[in-house]
C-alpha cells in the first residue's frame, strides 16, 4: 500500500459533496487513470483502505461495488479486488491540422442535422441538452409562478440592456469567474446564441476575417456563415484548448476583425485553457486592438477545484466581449444569456434594441430570483458531481466497446466526449447508420469550418446512464466497427 497516496475525504454536508463512497471510488479511478494503480494490480484490502483513508469498512465496500459495476475492477474470490486489465487504454483524439488561409463557410450541416434531430423516438446522444432530471425544474416552476403573480412589472417591456435585478444577480455571480463587473456592464440576451450573434454582427461585416478555433461549437459557425465572413482556423488541443501561438500568427498574417474562442470546458473537447495562456491571449488581442469574443457557456461545469476564470477576468482595456448562459446549468428553455461587451457596450445595446427591443420579462425576473435565493451553488455542485461521474462512465463504455484504437477526450468539465474513430473511419457513415438505428450523434464535420474531422464525432456524456443509453453505446461500437475509411 506504500505507493497509494493518502487522501482526505470531505464529509457530506447537506448534499454539498459527493457521498463518501463516491469520493473513495473517484479517488481510486484517479489513481488508475494516473497509472499509480495499473491494470492487473491488486487493490488494497478493504481493511487497509478503511484504516489508511479513515473511512468505514462499509464505505470502502460500497466504493468497490460501484467500481465493479463500472467495470473498473474485478473481484477474484478468496483473493481480492484487482484493477481490470483492459485490452487498451483509449488514446486522446488527435488535433487535425487546419487550413491557415481565410475561407468562406459553405456548409449548413448544423442546421440540417438540428432540424432532423427534432424527430421523435431517438436516443439523443448528439445534441447539447443538459440532463433534464438534474435540473431544478420544479423549484424553478414555483419561482416562475411566484414572480408572474407578484412582480408588478412582469408584463412590462424591459428594454435592453435588460432587467436590473438580473444584471445585478449576474454581476454578483461572475465574481466567481474572476470578473469585477457592475450591472451596467452587462446586456441580457436571448441565450448565449443571441449574445454571440450580436457580437459577430456588431464587430464584423461581410467579407471580414475572423479567427476561430477548430474544432469549435457548430452554432458559432452558423452565425459566422450567416454574416458571410471568412474564417481562419487555429488548432484546438483536446486538453489545453486554443493554440495561442497560432492566434498570434493569424493576427500577424491577416487583417482580423475579431477572434472568437471558448476557454473553459470547450464544446466539443472539454478542454481547459491554462491560466497563463488565457492571460497571453487577452494581452495579444489588446495589444493588436482586436476584439476577443469569448463563449463561456460551460465555465460553471468543471469537475474539480474552483471555477476557472473567464477571459474577461484578464481584460484591462475592454477588448473582451464575454458571453454566457443559464441554458446549461438551469434551464435551456428560459433563454437567459448575457454579454459583458467591454468597450463595445453601447453598440451591442443598440443592436439588441434594434433586433428584439427587449427580452421576455418573466424569465429574467425568475432567473434573478433563483440566482439570489434558489440555491444555485447547490445546483452547480450537483451537476458537476453527476456529470463527472456520467462522463467517466460513458468514456469507459466507449473504451471497452468501440474498435481498438478509438481515441476519446478526457474532459475536465462540461457535457461532451469527443471521439476519434480508428483507421480514418467515416463518422458521417456512422452518423447515418446510427440514425437508422434510432440514435443521434454529432458528426465531426459539424464542428469544422472546413469540413474536417471526418473521423470524429461528439457524444453528449451528461445523459443519465439508463439501459437504453447502455444499449445505444454498445450498438454504436458495433456500427463503428463496420464503417469504411472516410473519402479523402
Ligand atoms: C459552446 C456553446 N455556446 C452557446 C450555446 C448556446 O447556448 P444558448 O442555449 O444559451 O443559446 C451552446 C449550446 O449548445 C454551446 O454549446
Amino acid at each position: 500500500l506504500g505507493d497509494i497516496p493518502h487522501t482526505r475525504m470531505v464529509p457530506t454536508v447537506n448534499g454539498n459533496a459527493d457521498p463518501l463512497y463516491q469520493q473513495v471510488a473517484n479517488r481510486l479511478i484517479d489513481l488508475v487513470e494516473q497509472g499509480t494503480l495499473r491494470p492487473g494490480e491488486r487493490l488494497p484490502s478493504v481493511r487497509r483502505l478503511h484504516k489508511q483513508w479513515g473511512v468505514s469498512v462499509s464505505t470502502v465496500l460500497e466504493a468497490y461495488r460501484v467500481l465493479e459495476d463500472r467495470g473498473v475492477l474485478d473481484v477474484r474470490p478468496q483473493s481480492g479486488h484487482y484493477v481490470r486489465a483492459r485490452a487498451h487504454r483509449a488514446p486522446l483524439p488527435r488535433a487535425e491540422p487546419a487550413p491557415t488561409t481565410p475561407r468562406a463557410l459553405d456548409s449548413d450541416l448544423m442546421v440540417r442535422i438540428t432540424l432532423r434531430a427534432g424527430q421523435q423516438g431517438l436516443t439523443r446522444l448528439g445534441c447539447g441538452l443538459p440532463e433534464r432530471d438534474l435540473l431544478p425544474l420544479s423549484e424553478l416552476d414555483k419561482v416562475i409562478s411566484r414572480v408572474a403573480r407578484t412582480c408588478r412589472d412582469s408584463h412590462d417591456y424591459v428594454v435592453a440592456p435588460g432587467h436590473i435585478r438580473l444584471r445585478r444577480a449576474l454581476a454578483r455571480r461572475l465574481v466567481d469567474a474572476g470578473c469585477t463587473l457592475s450591472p451596467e456592464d452587462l446586456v441580457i440576451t436571448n441565450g448565449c446564441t443571441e449574445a454571440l450573434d450580436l457580437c459577430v454582427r456588431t464587430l464584423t461585416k461581410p467579407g471580414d476575417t475572423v479567427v476561430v478555433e477548430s474544432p469549435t461549437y457548430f452554432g458559432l459557425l452558423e452565425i459566422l456563415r450567416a454574416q458571410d465572413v471568412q474564417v481562419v482556423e487555429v488548432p484546438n488541443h483536446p486538453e489545453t484548448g486554443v493554440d495561442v501561438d497560432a492566434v498570434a500568427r493569424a493576427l500577424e498574417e491577416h487583417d482580423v476583425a475579431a477572434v472568437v474562442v471558448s476557454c473553459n470546458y470547450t464544446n466539443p473537447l472539454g478542454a481547459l485553457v491554462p491560466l497563463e495562456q488565457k492571460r497571453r491571449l487577452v494581452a495579444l488581442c489588446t495589444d493588436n486592438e482586436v476584439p476577443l469574443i469569448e463563449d463561456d457557456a460551460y465555465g460553471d461545469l468543471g469537475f474539480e477545484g474552483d471555477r476557472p476564470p473567464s477571459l474577461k477576468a484578464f481584460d484591462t482595456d475592454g477588448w473582451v466581449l464575454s458571453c454566457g448562459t443559464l441554458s446549461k446549468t438551469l434551464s435551456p428553455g428560459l433563454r437567459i444569456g448575457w454579454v459583458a461587451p467591454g468597450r463595445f457596450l453601447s453598440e451591442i445595446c443598440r443592436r439588441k434594441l434594434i433586433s428584439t427591443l427587449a427580452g421576455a420579462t418573466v424569465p429574467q425576473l425568475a432567473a434573478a430570483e433563483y440566482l439570489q435565493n434558489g440555491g444555485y451553488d447547490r445546483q452547480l455542485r450537483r451537476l458537476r458531481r453527476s456529470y463527472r461521474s456520467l462522463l467517466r462512465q460513458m468514456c469507459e463504455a466507449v473504451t471497452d466497446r468501440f474498435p481498438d484504437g478509438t481515441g476519446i477526450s478526457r474532459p475536465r468539465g462540461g457535457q461532451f466526449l469527443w471521439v476519434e474513430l480508428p483507421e480514418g473511419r467515416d463518422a458521417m457513415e456512422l452518423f447515418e447508420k446510427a440514425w437508422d438505428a434510432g440514435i443521434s450523434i454529432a458528426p465531426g464535420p459539424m464542428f469544422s469550418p472546413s469540413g474536417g474531422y471526418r473521423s470524429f464525432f461528439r457524444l453528449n456524456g451528461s445523459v443519465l446512464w439508463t439501459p437504453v443509453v447502455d444499449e445505444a453505446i454498445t450498438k454504436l461500437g458495433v456500427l463503428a466497427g463496420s464503417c469504411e475509411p472516410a473519402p479523402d
Side-chain angles (χ1 to χ4, degrees):
L1 195 62
D3 58 354
I4 304 282
H6 277 268
T7 193
R8 208 169 66 78
M9 297 294 157
V10 188
T12 307
V13 183
N14 297 332
N16 286 354
D18 282 342
L20 272 178
Y21 72 88
Q22 191 63 57
Q23 292 185 50
V24 172
N26 285 342
R27 184 80 185 105
L28 286 165
I29 293 176
D30 285 343
L31 292 171
V32 171
E33 290 202 335
Q34 290 155 7
T36 308
L37 285 169
R38 295 225 281 273
E41 275 184 4
R42 185 162 179 265
L43 280 118
S45 73
V46 173
R47 291 214 163 270
R48 288 192 84 168
L49 213 58
H50 144 70
K51 285 205 183 113
Q52 188 164 2
W53 287 6
V55 291
S56 71
V57 167
S58 59
T59 299
V60 180
L61 279 171
E62 184 62 9
Y64 279 6
R65 191 194 57 70
V66 167
L67 294 179
E68 192 190 348
D69 283 353
R70 301 257 302 265
V72 178
L73 58 82
D74 291 320
V75 185
R76 297 189 197 156
Q78 319 285 309
S79 175
H81 298 85
Y82 289 79
V83 180
R84 186 191 266 194
R86 286 171 192 269
H88 61 275
R89 280 269 303 141
L92 280 174
R94 288 168 307 130
E96 270 188 359
T100 51
T101 47
R103 54 170 62 212
L105 295 160
D106 55 8
S107 162
D108 67 344
L109 195 58
M110 171 240 173
V111 171
R112 282 188 282 130
I113 288 181
T114 307
L115 291 175
R116 260 170 88 171
Q119 184 181 306
Q120 296 295 310
L122 278 177
T123 305
R124 285 198 172 77
L125 302 179
C127 55
L129 278 176
E131 173 54 58
R132 203 169 196 281
D133 288 354
L134 296 173
L135 298 177
L137 299 185
S138 59
E139 287 100 313
L140 203 51
D141 285 346
K142 283 185 205 138
V143 175
I144 289 171
S145 61
R146 193 166 58 241
V147 299
R149 268 185 289 115
T150 58
C151 292
R152 294 190 57 205
D153 57 353
S154 64
H155 288 283
D156 291 350
Y157 278 126
V158 179
V159 297
H163 207 293
I164 181 65
R165 272 158 66 180
L166 179 56
R167 286 184 289 127
R168 234 184 252 134
L170 287 170
R172 255 184 242 132
R173 281 233 55 94
L174 288 166
V175 171
D176 282 356
C179 303
T180 316
L181 296 169
S182 83
E184 283 67 41
D185 296 323
L186 292 164
V187 178
I188 305 300
T189 57
N190 202 351
C192 194
T193 304
E194 190 189 23
L196 291 169
D197 186 56
L198 289 172
C199 292
V200 167
R201 284 192 295 128
T202 302
L203 300 170
T204 68
K205 56 184 186 326
D208 277 355
T209 298
V210 173
V211 174
V212 296
E213 57 205 339
S214 174
T216 192
Y217 169 53
F218 46 73
L220 169 69
L221 294 178
E222 288 297 334
I223 289 168
L224 295 170
R225 198 171 75 86
Q227 180 70 351
D228 217 0
V229 294
Q230 310 248 346
V231 300
V232 174
E233 294 178 49
V234 293
N236 197 358
H237 187 272
E239 286 183 306
T240 51
V242 61
D243 179 340
V244 181
D245 289 331
V247 177
R249 279 195 299 277
L251 291 180
E252 252 169 44
E253 288 167 17
H254 308 287
D255 184 12
V256 172
V259 174
V260 194
V261 293
S262 191
C263 285
N264 297 325
Y265 319 122
T266 57
N267 177 1
L269 298 175
L272 177 62
V273 177
L275 217 64
E276 261 325 297
Q277 295 303 312
K278 286 181 179 170
R279 201 189 301 277
R280 241 189 97 209
L281 182 60
V282 175
L284 193 61
C285 289
T286 304
D287 291 349
N288 284 277
E289 303 195 342
V290 172
L292 174 55
I293 304 169
E294 144 171 66
D295 179 347
D296 200 16
Y298 295 91
D300 276 337
L301 287 177
F303 299 154
E304 61 220 10
D306 293 336
R307 194 226 195 263
S310 71
L311 292 177
K312 192 76 191 164
F314 304 100
D315 187 22
T316 48
D317 288 10
W319 288 95
V320 177
L321 300 94
S322 188
C323 305
T325 179
L326 295 181
S327 287
K328 307 298 169 184
T329 51
L330 200 54
S331 155
L334 270 190
R335 306 308 299 136
I336 295 293
W338 62 89
V339 51
R343 59 173 58 218
F344 305 99
L345 178 69
S346 62
E347 288 115 296
I348 293 278
C349 214
R350 284 171 69 92
R351 195 165 282 270
K352 167 73 189 167
L353 269 175
I354 294 165
S355 56
T356 53
L357 186 60
T361 309
V362 171
Q364 293 188 57
L365 286 165
E369 168 72 17
Y370 187 89
L371 290 177
Q372 274 159 15
N373 306 313
Y376 189 60
D377 282 313
R378 195 174 352 114
Q379 162 63 9
L380 288 183
R381 281 193 291 272
R382 176 177 185 221
L383 273 184
R384 290 176 181 145
R385 193 167 66 226
S386 306
Y387 283 3
R388 171 184 154 126
S389 123
L390 288 166
L391 262 93
R392 259 192 177 154
Q393 186 155 13
M394 192 178 277
C395 183
E396 283 159 17
V398 171
T399 305
D400 285 344
R401 301 177 204 175
F402 272 60
D404 281 359
T406 296
I408 312 175
S409 58
R410 310 278 193 282
R412 304 184 51 192
Q415 294 179 224
F416 305 111
L417 288 176
W418 182 240
V419 183
E420 180 182 10
L421 295 173
E423 296 145 11
R425 290 174 201 228
D426 189 359
M428 287 306 293
E429 183 185 342
L430 178 62
F431 166 73
E432 293 296 348
K433 285 180 163 166
W435 193 274
D436 292 342
I439 306 163
S440 75
I441 59 169
M446 284 175 87
F447 303 85
S448 164
S450 49
Y453 293 104
R454 187 74 199 227
S455 296
F456 296 72
F457 66 96
R458 186 193 76 178
L459 286 172
N460 183 350
S462 70
V463 293
L464 286 186
W465 192 259
T466 59
V468 173
V469 172
D470 189 279
E471 198 186 315
I473 295 293
T474 304
K475 222 180 256 176
L476 282 175
V478 173
L479 293 173
S482 72
C483 289
E484 297 291 324
D488 286 333

